[in-house]
Amino acid sequence: LAAQVLLAALAVGDDTYEPCPAYPPLAPAATVAADPQFQAALRNVTSLLQSKAATLPSGLVATIVYNDSVLWSGGFGLRDKNKPGSGPPLPSDLVRIASITKAYTDTLLYVLRDAGTVGLDDELSTHLPGFSMRNPYGTAGKVTLRNLASHLAGIPREMPWPCTLDQHQCAESDVLENLRSVMPVSPPNRRFHYSNLGIALLGRALAHAAATTATPPSFEALLAEKVLAPLGMVNATFDTAKVLAADQRAVGTTSSGEFVNVSNTCQPTPGAPGGWGAPCGCLWAS
């Protein structure tokens, strides 16, 4: 009876929603920036960050954004603690944004969905030929672009040895070959399981989906064209060697002050400047 009542309610229920709240109009950014209260608060924030930076193992950059406009940005501490004269980090300095890269890969999925290039529920194997994993569960669920993007595909967290993100880098054929003997952690769509491997697979599949017969698939170039360039992120890159050679980065440290050796991570492979796993964590950005 309870199920019948529920089904009846669902059948007659409407699909209306409360209207969005009416927020007051925003003052222009220049007006806010010139406001005495804002200026006073900014002085307090600046003083706080200067004091805090003196106790941190790395420098820091802070930015205040108001309605998509940058009202203020400043660097504190040292750009490179190995070099006392390096000065504070700049807003234009690059840092490896690590797993924040995943947000850009997921954004690319929706850009290509809107363009009609892919569907969210396309199976991964449709766009990444050669992908297969063991299925000990006997379920009918498929690995799709949607459940890869939301970490619901049941894919293990890391790429199979020896194709890990931080160690030996492999070509796509090596990764796919190794995956054939890897066990999923669960059937698709059963539970959330964070996966660097899953987002790497998603990014490389998107590159295949958008490639033409005359152009080899390149996730890095595709992301730059479809996401980074429209956002004005002209300095963002996957090319770790180029960033290090040009000294474009603010040097990071661990919480204990040890320097982060980024030269051993996200190493390039042929056709993939950040390594095959770049879509999950190898983007440099300011």
Side-chain angles (χ1 to χ4, degrees), residues 27-40 42 64 66 69-72:
T31 302
V32 174
D35 186 274
Q37 286 185 302
F38 174 81
Q39 291 295 325
L42 183 57
I64 298 175
Y66 171 83
S69 295
V70 175
L71 297 187
W72 169 87

Side-chain angles (χ1 to χ4, degrees), residues 8-9 15 34 47 82 85 96-98 105 118 126 147 154 171 194 204 210 239 243 249 251 254 266:
D15 198 26
S47 177
N82 251 340
R96 214 187 96 198
I97 64 172
T105 302
V118 300
T126 300
N147 57 35
Y194 187 87
R204 297 302 171 187
D239 195 337
V243 171
R249 66 180 176 129
V251 179
T254 65
C266 297

Side-chain angles (χ1 to χ4, degrees), residues 45-272:
V45 167
T46 301
S47 177
L48 173 66
L49 293 176
Q50 286 174 335
S51 175
K52 187 66 177 175
T55 69
L56 294 175
S58 297
L60 61 88
V61 172
T63 302
I64 298 175
V65 179
Y66 171 83
N67 197 27
D68 290 339
S69 295
V70 175
L71 297 187
W72 169 87
S73 190
F76 303 87
L78 289 176
R79 182 176 184 267
D80 184 346
K81 289 250 175 172
N82 251 340
K83 302 174 182 177
S86 62
L90 303 173
S92 58
D93 286 337
L94 299 181
V95 297
R96 214 187 96 198
I97 64 172
S99 282
I100 298 173
T101 306
K102 293 178 173 65
Y104 292 87
T105 302
D106 278 8
T107 298
L108 177 62
L109 166 62
Y110 284 91
V111 169
L112 296 185
R113 186 280 307 268
D114 291 350
T117 305
V118 300
L120 296 183
D121 294 314
D122 289 354
E123 291 186 31
L124 174 61
S125 57
T126 300
H127 303 296
L128 194 60
F131 168 78
S132 70
M133 287 182 65
R134 297 171 61 186
N135 179 12
Y137 306 104
T139 56
K142 302 295 184 181
V143 175
T144 66
L145 305 186
R146 185 197 299 269
N147 57 35
L148 283 170
S150 53
H151 301 273
L152 291 169
I155 299 292
R157 180 184 176 102
E158 304 298 347
M159 287 184 283
W161 186 90
C163 302
T164 60
L165 183 65
D166 295 334
Q167 301 297 327
H168 179 68
Q169 294 299 321
C170 297
E172 184 171 287
S173 58
D174 298 322
V175 175
L176 295 177
E177 177 63 31
N178 289 343
L179 278 178
R180 294 190 179 99
S181 60
V182 170
M183 293 276 287
V185 298
S186 71
N189 301 316
R190 292 295 178 87
R191 65 185 179 93
F192 174 88
H193 182 79
Y194 187 87
S195 178
N196 287 317
L197 170 59
I199 300 297
L201 289 167
L202 172 63
R204 297 302 171 187
L206 295 176
H208 277 280
T212 66
T213 54
T215 306
S218 170
F219 165 81
E220 293 83 350
L222 183 65
L223 188 78
E225 175 191 351
K226 301 294 186 182
V227 179
L228 301 180
L231 290 174
M233 296 175 63
V234 294
N235 293 325
T237 181
F238 287 95
D239 195 337
T240 296
K242 178 181 176 182
V243 171
L244 298 179
D247 193 25
Q248 294 178 286
R249 66 180 176 129
V251 179
T253 68
T254 65
S255 58
S256 61
E258 298 171 354
F259 288 93
V260 178
N261 186 359
V262 297
S263 62
N264 288 337
T265 60
C266 297
Q267 285 298 299
T269 53

